[in-house]
Amino acid sequence: MKPVDLMIFDLDGTLVTSGRDISASVNHALAALGLPALEETAVLEFIGDGVRRLIERSLGPASQDRCEEALTIFSRHYDEHMLDTTVLYPGVAGMLRHFHAKKKIILTNKRHRFAAAMCDALQLTPFFDDIVGADSTPYIKPDVRLADMIIDQYHVHPDRTVVIGDGINDILLAKNAGLLSCAFLEGLTPRQTLLDLEPDYRCEHLSEITGFFC
């Protein structure tokens, strides 16, 4: 097993099954603007680069002038409905208990207030040293400056730090910064897309990582 001192977890699609609720709020915003709904699978492809990029992609090229309005409607709806169907992935709580002595943070391109509220509601917050959202720092995944800042803050070495996530940006962040990467293949990103990035580790169930790291 590989010794690690810091574990960096993604949130959406890694710890929590949030895709359906995100899609519902996107389509609520589109409907409010009189625009056609999108298939859930299409919305899932737009997740990962923050809420503004999610809304921009969902609006399409012809409606970019309505981005601020759509963002406001989305945020209001998501604030009230982010937990309609969202739950922890199987094995998450047990895995986190296993690593109770490790430094662990959540690093997400979700806005901090949404991430913090979700983690509080799903009882994730006590497991983590910090929750870093898209608006918590000047940088978002996969910007290497974000990783450098975290490495400095926690006084850890890159090769003893692992990023665990289901997104392209999780794997790219790790690779850009010389960190270990672990792809969760049952999240929001197609598994082959992640495998093509050649992560250091991959799992189909988060409980598997208890056998990867110590």
Side-chain angles (χ1 to χ4, degrees):
M1 289 197 291
K2 173 67 178 176
V4 295
D5 298 319
L6 176 64
M7 306 180 80
I8 300 173
F9 287 87
D10 178 45
L11 183 60
D12 293 305
T14 300
L15 297 173
V16 300
T17 62
S18 53
R20 182 174 297 175
D21 289 334
I22 293 172
S23 178
S25 290
V26 165
N27 278 322
H28 173 82
L30 294 176
L33 298 180
L35 298 172
L38 298 173
E39 293 290 337
E40 183 178 314
T41 52
V43 176
L44 297 186
E45 293 180 0
F46 299 155
I47 295 172
D49 295 306
V51 65
R52 179 171 293 276
R53 291 293 292 134
L54 168 66
I55 295 300
E56 288 173 350
R57 291 163 175 162
S58 299
L59 285 172
S63 299
Q64 291 300 300
D65 59 327
R66 309 190 75 181
C67 183
E68 291 301 329
E69 186 180 2
L71 188 55
T72 298
I73 297 168
F74 169 89
S75 297
R76 187 181 302 121
H77 186 271
Y78 192 62
D79 197 36
E80 297 178 359
H81 296 278
M82 72 173 80
L83 293 164
D84 283 0
T85 66
T86 296
V87 295
L88 300 183
Y89 275 99
V92 165
M95 177 273 296
L96 292 174
R97 284 193 293 269
H98 176 86
F99 290 115
H100 68 93
K102 294 290 181 186
K103 292 179 181 177
K104 298 180 296 299
I105 67 169
I106 288 175
L107 182 62
T108 174
N109 283 349
K110 197 185 203 77
R111 288 183 175 177
H112 180 267
R113 72 179 181 92
F114 291 138
M118 179 172 287
C119 289
D120 284 349
L122 297 177
Q123 301 179 25
L124 282 173
T125 304
F127 289 110
F128 292 94
D129 295 274
D130 198 8
I131 298 170
V132 182
D135 49 351
S136 300
T137 79
Y139 317 113
I140 65 171
K141 298 182 289 188
D143 194 317
V144 68
R145 292 171 293 183
L146 177 59
D148 291 343
M149 185 179 66
I150 291 168
I151 292 295
D152 289 344
Q153 178 181 348
Y154 286 92
H155 307 290
V156 292
H157 197 276
D159 71 2
R160 291 178 67 98
T161 302
V162 60
V163 180
I164 300 139
D166 77 304
I168 294 170
N169 285 334
D170 300 307
I171 308 307
L172 292 181
L173 176 72
K175 288 184 173 291
N176 290 346
L179 314 180
L180 299 168
S181 57
C182 181
F184 175 54
L185 301 178
E186 295 297 324
L188 304 181
T189 303
R191 61 190 295 122
Q192 192 57 51
T193 300
L194 295 173
L195 292 173
D196 288 345
L197 295 174
E198 299 182 345
D200 298 306
Y201 301 86
R202 71 284 309 269
C203 63
E204 296 184 359
H205 194 285
L206 285 175
S207 63
E208 295 173 41
I209 70 173
T210 61
F212 298 166
F213 309 112
C214 62

